[in-house]
Amino acid sequence: MAAAGNTSSKGGKTVLIVYAHPKPESFNGALLQKAIKELSSKGHNVIVSDLYKMKFDPLVRLEDFSGPSDVSKDVQEEVDKVEQADLVVFQFPLYWGSFPAILKGWMDRVIQVMSGFVRKTGFYKKGDLKVRGKRALLSFTTGSPSIPQESLEAMLLPMQVGTLNVVGFDVLLWQAPPQVSFGVEKGWDGGKGF
Amino acid sequence: MAAAGNTSSKGGKTVLIVYAHPKPESFNGALLQKAIKELSSKGHNVIVSDLYKMKFDPLVRLEDFSGPSDVSKDVQEEVDKVEQADLVVFQFPLYWGSFPAILKGWMDRVIQVMSGFVRKTGFYKKGDLKVRGKRALLSFTTGSPSIPQESLEAMLLPMQVGTLNVVGFDVLLWQAPPQVSFGVEKGWDGGKGF
């Protein structure tokens, strides 16, 4: 795993993994480590945003509405990582059919800046659609033993289409479907948290 | 507005408003105050969970997976409020087609306990479906000037059906549709945050 800020010297792609699980020995943690290993072995550069470890602040705050052109430092750091990346992978446990709160907060704050919402509305400064052409992939675990394809697509709509597509990500839907790990809480690590 | 824990002495219903906006002078704040005033004037008892003001912790943590039958104090307080309520109203700004992170965290932690997920999976203790028969209503603001009905229903599916319905809430869909305040960031409070 290369440090944030590095670019690959081997001509590979740069992959940002936004990881949202508090427990390294969880199934999610194992998937993260596997992804880092596989991608690195193929010559790609991997950057990880470990949201719990970073103590990423998920809350939109009053300050976000106050200045004329302010982007918080922690948000800017995440924007910079996305700008470097060719692909962004979101690795998380599905909570109530959606992102866990800490990852929802990443969307609320980081994606919000990247969306280029105009400042005249009082909500962030105008930016470019900096994510245009970048790819995004969801990889998540769920306790459900299975989910019908149609329900899965409906459930993921606000995330894949309403959020990531809207700001310009090329979400990997048809080229490569989201990576869904079913029934995880009943196995693997002795039931100690998925 | 009655304090949390009170029940109405006038035979009215008890309404819990879970409120998720950091700014009291926002449109959301005004809707909260209006709801408190109207409901109180009709003899109902109103309890408010002001999540930002309470500094509600939205993050599922390692401790949530550790003990055999532990429910965190802050989560138990929210469960107790829901148990008192006949109706739960969620008042929030729609961020990326869903709850803001702080309210998503309320779902991740409080609804999780109420869902009665069995402890043998390592995820909270077994409980009852304590919300059976209680009503729930979404009330939210959005910067969009309008959303087609079909898109709105698809967008709200994970929240209304996949979360609140699943744990037993009678979500007010057909009796009273969700309260949607469109185009809010362009008006009302000078564009200083919806």
Side-chain angles (χ1 to χ4, degrees), chain B residues 32 123 144 178:
Chain B
L32 171 68
F123 203 58
S144 297

Side-chain angles (χ1 to χ4, degrees), chain A residues 23 52 58-60 62 65 95-96 98-102 104-105 107-108 111-112 115 121-122 155 162-163 167 185 191 193, chain B residues 23 52 58-60 62 65 95-96 98-102 104-105 107-108 111-112 115 121-122 158 162-163 167 185 191 193:
Chain A
K23 198 173 177 182
Y52 275 92
L59 304 189
V60 170
L62 275 183
F65 299 92
Y95 289 164
W96 296 107
S98 186
F99 300 122
I102 199 166
K104 182 56 171 60
M107 302 291 162
D108 290 354
I111 290 284
Q112 187 66 34
S115 75
T121 63
M155 192 174 67
T163 305
V167 296
E185 100 274 42
Chain B
K23 196 173 177 179
Y52 275 91
L59 304 189
V60 169
L62 274 182
F65 300 91
Y95 288 166
W96 296 109
S98 187
F99 300 123
I102 199 166
K104 182 56 171 59
M107 301 291 161
D108 290 353
I111 290 284
Q112 187 66 34
S115 74
T121 63
T163 305
V167 296
E185 100 274 43

Side-chain angles (χ1 to χ4, degrees), chain B:
Chain B
M1 174 182 148
N6 285 7
T7 51
S8 173
S9 58
K10 289 177 266 183
K13 302 290 189 181
T14 294
V15 181
L16 168 63
I17 304 179
V18 182
Y19 168 72
H21 197 289
K23 196 173 177 179
E25 63 269 35
S26 64
F27 196 87
N28 275 272
L31 288 173
L32 171 68
Q33 294 309 320
K34 180 73 174 170
I36 293 170
K37 190 178 169 188
E38 288 291 318
L39 289 164
S40 299
S41 76
K42 290 182 168 56
H44 302 303
N45 180 44
V46 182
I47 307 171
V48 177
S49 281
D50 185 338
L51 299 184
Y52 275 91
K53 195 172 172 188
M54 293 157 59
K55 299 186 192 300
F56 181 77
D57 181 358
L59 304 189
V60 169
R61 295 181 179 283
L62 274 182
E63 302 84 83
D64 292 331
F65 300 91
S66 60
S69 63
D70 303 328
V71 175
S72 304
K73 183 169 171 289
D74 60 341
V75 170
Q76 189 59 54
E77 286 171 1
E78 295 304 299
V79 171
D80 291 345
K81 290 179 196 170
V82 173
E83 290 212 294
Q84 289 178 58
D86 300 293
L87 164 68
V88 182
V89 177
F90 298 94
Q91 179 64 54
F92 60 100
L94 193 75
Y95 288 166
W96 296 109
S98 187
F99 300 123
I102 199 166
L103 183 52
K104 182 56 171 59
W106 193 92
M107 301 291 161
D108 290 353
R109 301 182 71 221
V110 180
I111 290 284
Q112 187 66 34
V113 167
M114 289 188 291
S115 74
F117 266 61
V118 291
R119 188 66 202 177
K120 67 178 177 181
T121 63
F123 203 58
Y124 294 108
K125 69 174 178 180
K126 181 167 175 53
D128 303 308
L129 285 176
K130 296 175 178 176
V131 297
R132 182 76 66 194
K134 296 178 189 297
R135 291 182 165 183
L137 176 70
L138 300 188
S139 174
F140 59 86
T141 59
T142 169
S144 297
S146 67
I147 301 174
Q149 185 65 23
E150 198 172 284
S151 302
L152 189 65
E153 287 177 11
M155 192 174 65
L156 302 180
L157 189 77
M159 296 188 277
Q160 297 196 133
V161 180
T163 305
L164 298 170
N165 260 164
V166 161
V167 296
F169 277 105
D170 176 15
V171 182
L172 295 175
L173 294 171
W174 319 120
Q175 311 96 321
Q179 169 63 40
V180 190
S181 305
F182 289 107
V184 168
E185 100 274 43
K186 290 182 183 169
W188 200 74
D189 62 353
K192 296 230 178 80
F194 50 94

Side-chain angles (χ1 to χ4, degrees), chain A residues 109-181:
Chain A
R109 300 183 70 221
V110 180
I111 290 284
Q112 187 66 34
V113 167
M114 290 188 291
S115 75
F117 266 63
V118 292
R119 188 67 201 178
K120 66 178 180 184
T121 63
F123 201 58
Y124 295 107
K125 68 175 178 180
K126 181 166 174 51
D128 303 308
L129 285 176
K130 297 175 178 176
V131 297
R132 183 77 64 195
K134 295 178 189 297
R135 291 182 163 182
L137 176 70
L138 300 187
S139 175
F140 58 87
T141 58
T142 169
S144 298
S146 67
I147 300 175
Q149 185 64 23
E150 198 173 285
S151 302
L152 189 65
E153 287 176 11
M155 192 174 67
L156 302 181
L157 189 77
M159 297 188 277
Q160 298 197 131
V161 181
T163 305
L164 298 170
N165 259 166
V166 161
V167 296
F169 276 106
D170 176 15
V171 182
L172 294 175
L173 295 169
W174 318 120
Q175 311 96 320
Q179 169 62 40
V180 190
S181 305

